[in-house]
Amino acid sequence: MTLHLPTLLTVCVAALATSAGVMTLYAATRRTYRGFAWWVVAQWLLALGCLLQLFRDSAPEVLPLANLLLLQWPITVLAGMRRFAARQPSRVPMLADWLLLSLAWGVWLATWAAEGSLATRVLAFAAGAAVLHLYSAATLWHMAESRGSAAMKLLVGLELCAAALQALRVGFALGGPVDGSGQELLLASGLVILVSSLVMVFLALMLTAERSEASLQEVHRQLRFLANIDVLTHVPNRRHFHELAAQTLAEGARPPCTLMMFDVDHFKRINDLLGHASGDEALRQVARCLRDSLRAPDVAGRLGGDEFAALLPGTGVDDAMTVAARIVGQLADRQVAPGVAPLSLSFGIVQMHDGESLDEALRRADQALYEAKRQGRSRAVPAFGAEDRPVFGESRSLGLSSF
């Protein structure tokens, strides 16, 4: 069955106008990203180009504009992609896109103005279109966005198919006069335009969906961070500390497990004397010293205010006292205002009993912390025995002065 060229062009115009209308409606009613408008424009211009092709015999003067509108599609789509993936700019400047389009159209226009044969004009147009599609495919392929985007890979494949078909037209034009086979290739070009118009709608929506999904995943990641991490100190908050510590214990942490609780001595005075900004900076420095002093299996967290805790698997009380001294030693070099409000820490340390819950161990560590305060602060106090009858071991002074 032979397909009538005007009929095919009419179908192309209807399909392109429909696809462009769908994309326009989507852009007007949904959130889109930079570049989407260029894809819509590419569809409308291609539809107009096919429409003008219907009048090429009755009004030959419209042919230059019609062919320019047909040639622009890969470059306009590429311009939209450049804006869509603006965070990973291409090595090839955008100006090169439009210069190449101007060159391809200019070569055909010169051939048409010189009243060359039909084969020569077909050769000029098909060669220019093939180069434009290949250039667009290569530029898209080298964009960082294409590495993880199925839609980008499909778009590159579409450009390569269009380039291959135009290359076939070049071969037929070089072989001699454009006969029936050449006409069949022209019809095939129309079919590629028709398919491209429909596929482009899918690709544009797919690219938008991929970007929306990536944005949603980033929002979820940030929400998880805000839900689990104390924003000021960048250590787990109280809830997340409980989750991580409980998980560590449930997974059979290497015994003995020691829990330490500590806070900043006279923290209220630091806020009163230096202001809350300095108080926040003091907490950040304490948290940094805590993070730098722990191992990978250890779990640290901010319980609230100026109070912190750390679970140390495979660590005895004596080793935990050494960890406390290490934290304080690092803090000595990170004082916020040593001459006005020197920072010092008090620690309560307990070794967890078999079958003891985390909350029970925290309460015993809190008792040891209060004992450290009672003994004069800036020291670590271990606690043994039950919660209702605590036995405090020998305290260790940590060297920093408590004003």
Side-chain angles (χ1 to χ4, degrees):
M1 183 181 69
T2 302
L3 187 62
H4 190 229
L5 181 59
T7 302
L8 178 60
L9 285 174
T10 302
V11 173
C12 287
V13 171
L16 283 165
T18 301
S19 65
V22 169
M23 293 174 67
T24 303
L25 180 62
Y26 184 87
T29 57
R30 296 288 188 272
R31 179 192 176 187
T32 57
Y33 299 93
R34 292 182 60 191
F36 194 92
W38 286 81
W39 302 333
V40 176
V41 169
Q43 297 291 96
W44 281 117
L45 292 180
L46 192 58
L48 180 59
C50 289
L51 179 63
L52 292 178
Q53 286 285 343
L54 287 170
F55 304 99
R56 57 187 297 171
D57 294 329
S58 59
E61 64 274 9
V62 304
L63 188 58
L65 178 58
N67 280 353
L68 175 61
L69 295 178
L70 295 182
L71 289 172
Q72 59 77 35
W73 190 84
I75 299 303
T76 307
V77 170
L78 177 60
M81 188 55 65
R82 284 182 181 275
R83 286 159 177 79
F84 183 79
R87 288 174 292 183
Q88 297 95 17
S90 172
R91 297 177 183 176
V92 181
M94 188 183 301
L95 180 61
D97 305 350
W98 303 108
L99 288 177
L100 189 61
L101 173 60
S102 300
L103 178 62
W105 182 68
V107 169
W108 175 86
L109 186 63
T111 306
W112 177 76
E115 297 183 354
S117 65
L118 178 60
T120 304
R121 296 199 301 270
V122 169
L123 173 63
F125 179 87
V131 169
L132 292 175
H133 283 292
L134 281 174
Y135 170 81
S136 179
T139 305
L140 290 171
W141 182 254
H142 285 91
M143 287 184 177
E145 191 93 8
S146 66
R147 294 168 192 163
S149 172
M152 282 279 284
K153 292 181 175 65
L154 287 173
L155 181 56
V156 170
L158 182 65
E159 297 278 18
L160 290 176
C161 289
L165 185 59
Q166 295 297 342
L168 284 175
R169 292 188 68 199
V170 170
F172 272 92
L174 288 174
V178 179
D179 52 12
S181 298
Q183 284 294 107
E184 290 178 1
L185 280 176
L186 186 59
L187 293 173
S189 298
L191 288 174
V192 168
I193 293 174
L194 177 61
V195 172
S196 300
S197 68
L198 300 176
V199 172
M200 190 58 213
V201 178
F202 168 74
L203 292 179
L205 298 181
M206 190 173 176
L207 284 165
T208 302
E210 286 180 349
R211 177 62 59 81
S212 297
E213 183 180 0
S215 299
L216 187 59
Q217 289 176 349
E218 176 61 19
V219 170
H220 284 170
R221 187 194 67 79
Q222 294 176 2
L223 289 176
R224 284 196 302 269
F225 179 85
L226 293 174
N228 295 333
I229 303 299
D230 178 64
V231 178
L232 177 63
T233 59
H234 289 184
V235 297
N237 56 27
R238 185 185 190 96
R239 180 190 58 79
H240 196 45
F241 169 76
H242 274 261
E243 290 177 349
L244 294 176
Q247 181 180 358
T248 300
L249 294 172
E251 291 175 351
R254 182 166 59 93
C257 287
T258 301
L259 184 69
M260 65 164 58
M261 181 185 295
F262 65 94
D263 65 9
V264 181
D265 295 326
H266 300 299
F267 183 67
K268 185 176 184 302
R269 293 188 192 176
I270 296 174
N271 281 330
D272 292 341
L273 288 174
L274 303 176
H276 288 281
S278 296
D280 290 346
E281 179 59 25
L283 293 177
R284 281 192 286 266
Q285 295 299 339
V286 169
R288 189 169 300 145
C289 294
L290 174 62
R291 294 196 306 269
D292 293 347
S293 301
L294 299 185
R295 308 160 301 175
D298 301 332
V299 179
R302 181 186 179 193
L303 301 182
D306 62 322
E307 198 168 62
F308 296 82
L311 177 69
L312 311 176
T315 304
V317 171
D318 290 340
D319 290 334
M321 300 277 274
T322 302
V323 173
R326 187 186 309 144
I327 295 171
V328 171
Q330 292 200 26
L331 186 62
D333 299 326
R334 296 179 177 177
Q335 295 284 327
V336 176
V340 180
L343 289 176
S344 66
L345 305 177
S346 295
F347 289 78
I349 299 173
V350 299
Q351 184 173 307
M352 296 189 66
H353 300 154
D354 291 338
E356 183 178 28
S357 70
L358 182 63
D359 287 333
E360 290 170 342
L362 282 170
R363 286 195 294 269
R364 291 199 300 120
D366 193 41
Q367 290 176 335
L369 175 57
Y370 272 101
E371 178 63 17
K373 298 289 188 183
R374 190 189 68 79
Q375 292 185 23
R377 295 181 170 83
S378 189
R379 62 187 62 246
V381 174
F384 306 94
E387 180 183 349
D388 56 347
R389 287 186 298 177
V391 177
F392 301 113
E394 182 179 357
S395 66
R396 179 184 302 181
S397 176
L398 297 176
L400 294 181
S401 63
S402 174
F403 71 106

